[in-house]
Structure formats: structure tokens, C-alpha cells
Amino acid sequence: MLFLAATMLSVGCKKDDDNNVDPPSGNFKGSVSLTIDGTLHNVILSDVAEITEGVVFLIKNSTDGSTFDMVIANVPAIGTTFTFTMNPPEDGTALIATNGPIPNTIGLIAVAGTIKRTSEKNYEIDAEMIDISDPSVTYPIVGTVTVGVIQTHS
């Protein structure tokens, strides 16, 4: 899981956009409502897309206006609740945030709590995330994710 987090860090979106203008709201498919450490984050800056590796999206940080990436890797089957642990199974679900949303953090990964896939497109999250550079620090995350784009693979 830490390898996946490191990979996401290396491909994360750049934070210092030259024109600092957000794309018009409402142009992206899907929705997100996540409260991380008491702060609501609900403005997406990309489609909430399902790809082979999982569900990915770019979200605006409600605190400082920067952006961060969220990933749900190895999505659970519809109707399944996955319980996060510090030592997940190799094929277990992972919830990762990179380049924020907590100031001065490179990445967060869920290590306790649950994620439930309630339908093909909907996820409910109630978990604890750790700072990958300091695992003694935890942050609660609760909310929902609705996929707007699902890629089909043959």
C-alpha cells in the first residue's frame, strides 16, 4: 500500500498553476463530499473516474485553495464493506490522499475504519488516515464519493 501511495505522489498534479484559475464548476462528472479532519472538501477539479487501478479524482482543498489527489485502489465489490487495517491484505482496498489536504503532509492513507461500496457508482467512507511520513498522526475522514465516469475494459 505504501508503494501505491509513493506512486501516486510521483504522478500527482502540480500545485502551482500559472494562471491560478479553477475550471468552471459543474463541468465534471461525479461528486465528492468528504470531511477530513473537520474540514469539508466537496469541489472536484476533475471527473471522478473509475480506471483499472481504482477510482481517482482531483479535489480542491477547502482550507487553502490548493488541490490534492484522492484514490480508492482495489475497489470493493458492490454491497461490500472493506475494513482498513495497518497491515491490509495485498489485494485489499486502499484509500489514499496525496499532496494534501493537511498542510505540510505529502500523503495520507487509511489504516482504520471502513469503506462501503453501496452501488456501482457510490462509496461511503468512515475511516482514519495516517500521515505516511509520521504514522503516529491520524486524521478522520467521513463522506461519500459518487463516480461520474466508469471506463469499461474488454
Side-chain angles (χ1 to χ4, degrees):
M1 292 300 162
L2 289 177
F3 174 74
L4 181 59
T7 301
M8 289 308 301
L9 290 173
S10 69
V11 298
C13 296
K14 69 178 188 174
K15 289 182 159 206
D16 57 329
D17 191 352
D18 293 334
N19 59 13
N20 258 347
V21 176
D22 291 337
S25 61
N27 288 343
F28 300 112
K29 296 179 177 136
S31 65
V32 173
S33 178
L34 294 173
T35 300
I36 303 171
D37 197 34
T39 301
L40 175 65
H41 304 282
N42 61 1
V43 177
I44 55 173
L45 299 177
S46 72
D47 289 336
V48 181
E50 182 175 328
I51 60 175
T52 303
E53 294 80 10
V55 174
V56 297
F57 53 94
L58 181 65
I59 189 166
K60 184 175 182 177
N61 188 327
S62 302
T63 305
D64 63 12
S66 63
T67 61
F68 64 97
D69 305 296
M70 289 291 300
V71 177
I72 303 169
N74 297 329
V75 297
I78 296 170
T80 301
T81 299
F82 179 81
T83 301
F84 298 109
T85 67
M86 285 293 280
N87 297 307
E90 191 171 309
D91 62 346
T93 298
L95 177 64
I96 303 165
T98 60
N99 299 319
I102 306 300
N104 303 314
T105 61
I106 295 172
L108 304 173
I109 189 166
V111 295
T114 61
I115 184 168
K116 181 177 183 180
R117 187 172 184 189
T118 59
S119 69
E120 180 183 21
K121 296 182 177 186
N122 297 303
Y123 298 82
E124 295 176 353
I125 299 167
D126 185 1
E128 289 285 325
M129 301 183 88
I130 60 167
D131 179 343
I132 61 171
S133 62
D134 183 359
S136 68
V137 180
T138 63
Y139 301 97
I141 179 171
V142 295
T144 59
V145 173
T146 301
V147 174
V149 177
I150 295 180
Q151 296 178 348
T152 56
H153 304 279
S154 41

